[in-house]
Amino acid sequence: MAGRFDEDDADQAAAKKVIKAAPSVPQAALANRKFMHRVVAWLAQAGVDQFVDVGTGIPTKPNVFEIAREYHPDAVVVGVDNDPLVLAHDRALLKGMPIVSGDVRRVDELIADLDEFIDWDRPVGVLLLAVLHFVTDEQDPAGIVRAFTGRMVPGSMVALSHLSSTGPKPVAVAQIEKLYRDETTAPGVARTHEQITNLFGRLGLVPPGVVPVQHWPCESGLLTDVPVLGGSAWCPTRWRIRLAEHWRGAAVAELPDEQDAGTDGWAGDGPDEAEVWAQRVGWWLACLTVWGLAPLWVPGPVRWACQRRRRGGRRDG
Ligand SMILES: C[S@@+](CC[C@H](N)C(=O)[O-])C[C@H]1O[C@@H](n2cnc3c(N)ncnc32)[C@H](O)[C@@H]1O
C-alpha cells in the first residue's frame, strides 16, 4: 500500500478490502513513509547514529538505513519484524542492515536479541512506525515503549506513528479495525490522540507533539480522512523530569524510587553523580548569593525605622 517493491496475493486481497472501506488508506500509508523519512533525518541530525526499526515492513525506497547513512556513513540500523514473509523480503532487499526476527510484544526478549548490534550506552533512535496499532491494550503498548527507554541513555529518541480514531471518519476506521480482527491474525487497534500521546509516557515530546504525520514537524501534505498520528520524543535525565513535574504540580510521589531506575523508562539514571554535585553546588551558590545580598534587600521602611531609632538613641544620650 505504501509503494512496496513487492506484495503477495494474500496481501493484495486484504489491501483491496481495506481500501474499499477507506479509499484514502494508500495516501495515509505513503504519508506515514514520508514521516519516516523526515523523522529519521531529524534524529540523525540530532546526532543519533544507531536505529532500531521495529516493524520494518517490506522495503520501500529510501529505507531507514539509506537516510541515516546520508548523515552518518557508519550508522547502525537494525530492522525487526515478526512476519516471515516480510523478513524474507527484508533479508533479500536490505543488504545494508541486519534484520532480526522478533515480536515487539515480547519486548524483553527482543531487546536482548538487539544487544548484539546496539550499544545501549550511546544514544539510540527507536522507531515504532505503524506497528503499535497491532498491539492491544492488554499487551500494554506503553509498557513496550517503557521497556525500550529503560535501556536507553538520555539523548536517545523514540519516534512512533499510529492509526488514530480521532478523525473525520471514525466509521471507516472502525471498519478497518473489524477487517483486521476478522481476517488477519494481527489485531488492528486505532487509538485516540490522547491515547497515542500517552504512549510516550514521560518522555519529552519534540514540538509540535503528536500530530497527523503530514504535519510533523510542520505542514507538508494534505490530511487523509483516515488519520495516522505521529510524534517523536527524547529521553531526558530523571532530575529534569522531576523538576518539570514539580513545576506542573504533578504528583511527584508517583515517580518510582531511584533504585527502580531502568524499569520505568529511564536508563542509566537517577541523576548521575556529576548531576547531583552540579545541583548541590547550584543550591549553595544560590544560598550564598541570597545571604550575601540580603543587606541590600532589607526593605526601605525597615532601614528607615532603624536609622530613626539610632538617631533617637544618639539624641537621648
Ligand atoms: C504497517 S507495516 C509498517 C511498516 C513500516 N514501519 C512503515 O511505517 O511503513 C507494520 C509492520 O509491523 C510488523 N508487525 C506487526 N506486528 C508486529 C509485532 N508484534 N512485532 C514485530 N513486528 C510486527 C508487520 O509484519 C509489518 O511489517
Side-chain angles (χ1 to χ4, degrees), residues 2 4 29 32-33 36 53-58 60 80-83 86 102-105 110 128-131 133-135 161 180 186:
R4 291 165 165 179
N32 178 58
R33 282 315 273 188
M36 180 276 277
D53 183 15
V54 184
T56 194
I58 290 179
T60 56
V80 177
D81 213 286
N82 72 338
D83 180 329
V86 172
D103 191 322
V104 75
R105 293 167 297 186
L110 171 59
L128 292 155
L129 305 182
V131 67
H133 47 230
F134 297 116
V135 177
S161 63
Y180 270 102

Side-chain angles (χ1 to χ4, degrees), residues 73-299:
D74 297 327
V76 172
V77 181
V78 186
V80 177
D81 213 286
N82 72 338
D83 180 329
L85 190 74
V86 172
L87 289 166
H89 278 82
D90 287 347
R91 286 184 177 134
L93 295 168
L94 298 175
K95 296 291 183 197
M97 60 192 261
I99 303 292
V100 171
S101 167
D103 191 322
V104 75
R105 293 167 297 186
R106 293 202 298 273
V107 67
D108 295 331
E109 227 173 272
L110 171 59
I111 290 172
D113 289 346
L114 291 169
D115 286 350
E116 187 184 341
F117 308 102
I118 296 294
D119 176 359
W120 298 102
D121 292 330
R122 294 179 45 248
V124 184
V126 170
L127 310 174
L128 292 155
L129 305 182
V131 67
L132 289 182
H133 47 230
F134 297 116
V135 177
T136 61
D137 289 347
E138 295 71 39
Q139 292 162 340
D140 191 13
I144 291 174
V145 177
R146 278 201 305 278
F148 276 109
T149 53
R151 283 302 303 275
M152 291 153 73
V153 290
S156 297
M157 311 281 301
V158 174
L160 68 81
S161 63
H162 197 296
L163 177 66
S164 179
S165 51
T166 306
K169 292 222 171 135
V171 175
V173 175
Q175 267 176 302
I176 296 175
E177 285 182 293
K178 184 170 167 8
L179 270 168
Y180 270 102
R181 209 168 37 241
D182 296 349
E183 308 216 359
T184 74
T185 48
V189 188
R191 293 191 166 90
T192 63
H193 178 269
E194 190 187 355
Q195 288 169 329
I196 296 169
T197 305
N198 288 342
L199 295 177
F200 285 102
R202 294 188 180 108
L203 300 179
L205 270 173
V206 171
V210 173
V211 291
V213 286
Q214 296 90 335
H215 284 185
W216 196 97
C218 50
E219 289 185 27
S220 61
L222 292 178
L223 296 184
T224 46
D225 47 20
V226 172
V228 178
L229 304 186
S232 175
W234 47 279
C235 299
T237 54
R238 175 185 285 264
W239 67 269
R240 282 202 189 142
I241 305 283
R242 270 185 194 280
L243 220 56
E245 300 218 343
H246 176 74
W247 289 118
R248 280 209 310 265
V252 176
E254 273 176 26
L255 277 172
D257 294 339
E258 300 291 346
Q259 61 265 35
D260 289 342
T263 59
D264 73 320
W266 316 111
D269 329 27
D272 60 28
E273 215 167 316
E275 285 171 338
V276 170
W277 276 105
Q279 282 177 62
R280 280 185 195 150
V281 171
W283 277 115
W284 275 107
L285 283 176
C287 290
L288 284 174
T289 312
V290 171
W291 197 17
L293 296 180
L296 302 177
W297 292 3
V298 175

